[in-house]
Amino acid sequence: MSNRYLLMLLLAVCFPAFGRAEVVHFKNGDHLTGSFVRLEGKTAIFKTDVLGTVKLCLKKINTFTTEKPVVVMLTDGRTEGGIFTITETGEWVLKSAELVTSVEKKGVVAIYPTKIYRPASPEKLHRPWQDWKGKANFGYNLQHSSGHSGALTLGVDGLRLEPPLPGLPPRRRSHFSLNMAFVNATDPVIGVRTSANTLSSDFRQDFFFSRNRHNFVFAEAQWDHIEPQNLQLRQTYGGGYGRDVIQRPSLTLSLRAGTTFVREHFMASAAQQTAGVLLRDSAEGLVGEKFTLSIFKHFDFSHELEFYPSLTSGGNYRFDTVTSISTPISSGLSFQTEFTDHYLSAPLPGTEQNDLVFSMGLGLKF
């Protein structure tokens, strides 16, 4: 008797776990078993144990019913919930405890499982420090020979989408980046210590306005401290127009153009025979691009360039560029190589035009 009760208990525990799988029946007679992730446009996305995440064309689906409630986002801003079904006649039906309603396909923006939609719901209050995703990286180099030197590099690159629902075109997009390089060298013979520290931070807010969410206007603020150029602080404020030219899972390309106001504080050295802080205000144009490429999920390449031609001092210009290559080690850890360059066409006499930083280290996703 005890074995019989034990068998019944095992069946009760195991069968509900198997019952959570959802089955898609195709018009050619085939079927697919998996978990419903979302529906967007003309595509339904499922996660399977064997094939991983797959995208299915809705025209090829004969019947399908979700095991758990979903949320249907409508073009008029409303949402409806219930069990979603695609019938043999091609009709979309939503069944709740109260009633069964027909869903107009043209009026649907996207469909999500309730457990995915609720935490990222556009109606929910999202604090400015929430929903950020990105990566942080760090590296360190130490040398002891005829001289002693050390170099520490740190970087943060974060992105925040509103609403933070996967597959849904964003209304707003926030981007924050911070790159720091601390370089110190000591001559043990004469005991002279020199430094070449660099700090660059940038915050940009994009506001999408086109129906397909490719075009946007942006506002941007950037702060730079570049010791090799005697730049104590550069403040850059501006804005303009941008477009996401390519938006694919493995390939993206974004272009921007605008104008900026710049205030630069230079610390004059003794060799320049000038005391105090040199102030320089100017207006600059802005042309920027960002390109990312992922190959076989084992190689990620990104390149970002911002070019600033002076509008108040003819012939002068500057540019900032960041190029990085990362190779995943695990789901949240990667090995990263990064190259940055801050170029100034008209630096102070005796200082460098280029501030080049090459770093290798570990990257951590968040």
Side-chain angles (χ1 to χ4, degrees):
M1 182 66 68
S2 60
N3 291 338
R4 180 180 177 183
Y5 284 128
L6 179 60
L7 179 60
M8 293 176 64
L9 179 61
L10 290 174
L11 292 175
V13 171
C14 296
F15 278 165
F18 295 137
R20 284 196 293 267
E22 295 161 313
V23 181
V24 181
H25 296 275
F26 297 98
K27 293 180 179 179
N28 64 358
D30 294 337
H31 68 274
L32 177 73
T33 302
S35 299
F36 175 67
V37 176
R38 67 180 181 271
L39 185 150
E40 56 180 72
K42 300 179 180 180
T43 304
I45 300 177
F46 287 80
K47 187 175 182 180
T48 67
D49 294 334
V50 178
L51 302 176
T53 301
V54 295
K55 295 184 177 181
L56 307 177
C57 178
L58 291 175
K59 293 182 179 180
K60 298 182 179 181
I61 296 177
N62 185 34
T63 61
F64 166 69
T65 299
T66 60
E67 290 290 329
K68 294 185 177 181
V70 301
V71 174
V72 180
M73 300 182 64
L74 303 175
T75 54
D76 59 7
R78 296 182 300 110
T79 60
E80 296 182 358
I83 300 296
F84 175 69
T85 298
I86 299 178
T87 67
E88 291 185 358
T89 59
E91 185 182 7
W92 290 8
V93 175
L94 200 61
K95 183 184 299 184
S96 62
E98 294 81 12
L99 71 165
V100 177
T101 59
S102 179
V103 178
E104 180 63 35
K105 300 178 185 178
K106 295 182 179 179
V108 175
V109 176
I111 300 176
Y112 295 90
T114 303
K115 66 178 182 179
I116 294 178
Y117 177 83
R118 281 181 177 173
S121 169
E123 294 83 14
K124 182 181 177 181
L125 178 62
H126 296 268
R127 305 293 183 182
W129 56 84
Q130 295 177 323
D131 306 320
W132 285 92
K133 293 183 179 180
K135 61 183 178 181
N137 61 81
F138 62 92
Y140 186 73
N141 178 60
L142 184 65
Q143 180 185 10
H144 286 275
S145 55
S146 58
H148 306 319
S149 66
L152 173 66
T153 58
L154 300 170
V156 178
D157 191 21
L159 184 69
R160 181 176 186 262
L161 301 177
E162 301 177 63
L165 283 167
L168 190 68
R171 294 195 297 263
R172 290 180 295 273
R173 178 173 60 192
S174 304
H175 176 261
F176 174 77
S177 65
L178 174 65
N179 289 284
M180 297 180 290
F182 303 98
V183 182
N184 293 283
T186 303
D187 190 325
V189 177
I190 60 177
V192 176
R193 181 178 180 179
T194 59
S195 63
N197 302 325
T198 298
L199 186 148
S200 180
S201 62
D202 178 84
F203 179 80
R204 189 180 79 243
Q205 182 70 57
D206 299 334
F207 302 90
F208 291 87
F209 59 88
S210 63
R211 187 172 183 179
N212 57 9
R213 306 287 171 86
H214 285 296
N215 303 311
F216 59 90
V217 293
F218 68 91
E220 185 173 18
Q222 185 174 349
W223 303 270
D224 300 312
H225 169 76
I226 306 175
E227 196 170 333
Q229 296 175 346
N230 279 7
L231 179 63
Q232 183 70 11
L233 177 64
R234 178 193 291 130
Q235 304 175 64
T236 304
Y237 305 99
Y241 170 83
R243 177 175 174 81
D244 292 335
V245 180
I246 303 175
Q247 279 289 355
R248 300 175 185 170
S250 60
L251 178 65
T252 67
L253 174 62
S254 182
L255 303 177
R256 295 180 295 118
T259 57
T260 63
F261 168 78
V262 182
R263 167 161 288 191
E264 295 171 307
H265 297 233
F266 289 94
M267 295 296 295
S269 64
Q272 294 163 345
Q273 298 180 352
T274 306
V277 178
L278 302 180
L279 300 178
R280 189 163 70 184
D281 294 342
S282 61
E284 296 178 338
L286 166 62
V287 179
E289 61 85 14
K290 184 171 184 179
F291 173 81
T292 64
L293 174 66
S294 298
I295 302 177
F296 306 122
K297 298 182 179 181
H298 298 293
F299 177 88
D300 294 327
F301 172 85
S302 70
H303 178 266
E304 187 168 4
L305 170 68
E306 292 185 329
F307 177 72
Y308 300 90
S310 177
L311 302 178
T312 54
S313 180
N316 291 340
Y317 65 92
R318 64 183 176 94
F319 66 79
D320 301 328
T321 181
V322 180
T323 304
S324 65
I325 300 174
S326 63
T327 302
I329 299 175
S330 63
S331 59
L333 193 65
S334 63
F335 177 78
Q336 183 158 319
T337 303
E338 188 168 275
F339 172 82
T340 64
D341 184 14
H342 299 277
Y343 179 84
L344 189 61
S345 67
L348 292 182
T351 61
E352 299 292 332
Q353 287 184 311
N354 286 88
D355 175 52
L356 303 173
V357 178
F358 178 79
S359 63
M360 301 177 68
L362 295 177
L364 179 66
K365 289 184 179 181
F366 59 85

